[in-house]
Amino acid sequence: MASTPLDLVLVSTPIGYLGSGRGGGVELTITSLLRGLGQRGHHMHLVAPEGSRLPEGCEQVHLHPVAGEDQPSWQHADPDGPVLIPSQGVLPKLWERALDLASTADAVLNFGYDWLPLWLTPRQHQPIFHLVSMGSVARVIDALLLDLARWDQRRLAFHSRRQADDFGLPNPPVVVGNGFDLSRYALQVQTGGPLGWAGRVAPEKGLEDAVSVAARLGEPLLVWGLVEDPAYAARVEAAAPAGTIQWRGFLPTTALQKELGGCRALINTPKWNEAYGNVVVEALACGVPVIAYDRGGPGELVQHGVTGWLVPPDDCDGLLAAVQQLDAIDRNACRHWVECHASQAIFAERVERWISRGLAPGDGSISTCP
């Protein structure tokens, strides 16, 4: 329980309603914090696109649904492209509502990776904090993040150090990781089972590399996640022997962890600088070793030779060799790492500490004037 409960306004991603799966890992992050901060006694309002649902166990949170058109994702935009906001876009409407609520709140916590909330931050009396969800994908965002860091870097936190390194920050970053409700993940200690892969099915996730490993082994690969790019998914499937990919779809946590926990390994093959790697931790929570490219957040999450194996980026031969060393991994060690480093409670405490320190008087724009 926090010594001084905070009144917080949380602003969800503008890329799909909460529960749609379109927000990717941000949805899991929001759910974890709603539960974790609630258990610590904080009072929360959640501003989210219309259609959003409060997760189970978050009945004390006040939900404020906002209608509007989804915001285009920066993830797939031209890195040198302009800022685009649809004429009926939900993004500015989310922030109109959030700033209204913020007049009686201690702070606003933003989860959307976009230009508008970053631009608003130094121009508002209400303190706005940003849990940055991606690495560098657009120069206009990079420049704005750096300007904000120079103004008051206490407003920013990141999921991993490798993610933060993308932005050339003037000071060491606040790194909060992520958190998981471990009561929802069952440890499965059997060592057999198929290989698995999980994530949004899109080119930057590198599904084709995991498929190639399964094909060389002559066995199926179970694939979970939202098919964000159907043309890409079709190309990957067509390039592999028939039946290699077993599409499992986008599943809620209860169903996902049950199936994923039966795998002998999760293969994680990002082609970009992943901010964290939620599916890596979800697998480890089930006792499933992870074989991952040593790139971005997964390179900080997997303990080489203890909870899985790290492979040089884009090295499919290395992935294959690692599959053949899985017997050396103790599945209990995988679960133990998550309990020590990525529980919902630990994550909520880190975020609480970050915001509380940012609100405290001292150097920076949030401090009260003498």
Side-chain angles (χ1 to χ4, degrees):
M1 182 71 69
S3 56
T4 305
L6 296 171
D7 289 306
L8 301 172
V9 177
L10 281 62
V11 186
S12 185
T13 172
I15 307 173
Y17 61 85
L18 189 61
S20 68
R22 294 197 60 222
V26 175
E27 294 192 28
L28 187 149
T29 300
I30 294 172
T31 297
S32 179
L33 276 180
L34 288 173
R35 292 185 177 131
L37 291 174
Q39 289 168 0
R40 295 187 64 78
H42 299 293
H43 310 295
M44 290 171 286
H45 293 264
L46 174 65
V47 183
E50 191 172 56
S52 295
R53 303 182 303 275
L54 285 174
E56 182 182 348
C58 299
E59 291 75 15
Q60 79 282 6
V61 177
H62 301 283
L63 175 64
H64 301 266
V66 176
E69 184 179 343
D70 286 356
Q71 180 70 11
S73 172
W74 282 100
Q75 195 165 20
H76 302 128
D78 181 348
D80 293 308
V83 174
L84 299 174
I85 300 178
S87 61
Q88 297 300 315
V90 74
L91 177 63
K93 297 179 181 181
L94 290 172
W95 281 93
E96 286 177 354
R97 184 65 177 133
L99 293 177
D100 284 344
L101 293 167
S103 62
T104 58
D106 293 304
V108 180
L109 178 54
N110 170 50
F111 295 90
Y113 187 100
D114 220 300
W115 178 88
L116 180 60
L118 294 170
W119 183 86
L120 284 170
T121 300
R123 295 168 173 83
Q124 292 294 321
H125 173 71
Q126 298 95 334
I128 303 172
F129 293 78
H130 304 268
L131 180 47
V132 183
S133 60
M134 291 194 290
S136 173
V137 294
R139 287 177 177 82
V140 66
I141 300 292
D142 292 355
L144 203 51
L145 267 169
L146 186 55
D147 286 345
L148 186 54
R150 290 169 175 154
W151 174 73
D152 191 343
Q153 193 174 314
R154 294 180 302 163
R155 304 291 187 106
L156 304 173
F158 301 85
H159 290 292
S160 70
R161 192 165 300 278
R162 292 189 184 190
Q163 172 206 10
D165 286 346
D166 266 5
F167 301 106
L169 301 170
N171 299 299
V174 172
V175 176
V176 295
N178 214 340
F180 300 79
D181 179 357
L182 298 185
S183 69
R184 300 168 64 84
Y185 298 87
L187 171 64
Q188 298 189 41
V189 295
Q190 74 278 6
T191 57
L195 298 172
W197 185 97
R200 288 180 299 100
V201 181
E204 68 273 8
K205 296 293 189 176
L207 171 60
E208 64 272 17
D209 289 3
V211 171
S212 74
V213 170
R216 289 168 67 180
L217 291 169
E219 61 180 271
L221 177 73
L222 276 58
V223 175
W224 295 274
L226 182 72
V227 179
E228 189 174 80
D229 188 332
Y232 164 75
R235 290 195 302 272
V236 173
E237 186 169 32
T244 300
I245 300 178
Q246 292 191 4
W247 300 106
R248 311 300 292 181
F250 177 77
L251 300 180
T253 298
T254 300
L256 173 63
Q257 64 87 28
K258 185 175 182 180
E259 294 188 11
L260 178 58
C263 290
R264 73 180 188 277
L266 176 81
I267 300 178
N268 186 254
T269 50
K271 297 290 185 177
W272 70 321
N273 186 22
E274 287 277 8
Y276 188 70
N278 287 337
V279 296
V280 169
V281 180
E282 290 188 281
L284 295 175
C286 298
V288 177
V290 177
I291 298 168
Y293 285 153
D294 191 3
R295 172 184 276 145
E300 295 181 27
L301 300 175
V302 177
Q303 309 303 293
H304 186 68
V306 178
T307 62
W309 301 100
L310 291 172
V311 173
D314 309 318
D315 182 359
C316 290
D317 290 338
L319 295 175
L320 184 62
V323 170
Q324 296 165 346
Q325 300 180 70
L326 288 171
D327 288 345
I329 304 299
D330 179 358
R331 292 172 72 100
N332 288 285
C334 298
R335 173 74 179 205
H336 180 69
W337 184 90
V338 179
E339 291 172 344
C340 293
H341 298 280
S343 72
Q344 181 175 275
I346 289 171
F347 180 45
E349 185 175 359
R350 287 174 184 153
V351 170
E352 174 193 291
R353 190 182 309 121
W354 160 48
I355 294 175
S356 296
R357 287 177 177 172
L359 290 171
D363 292 339
S365 61
I366 302 175
S367 58
T368 56
C369 295

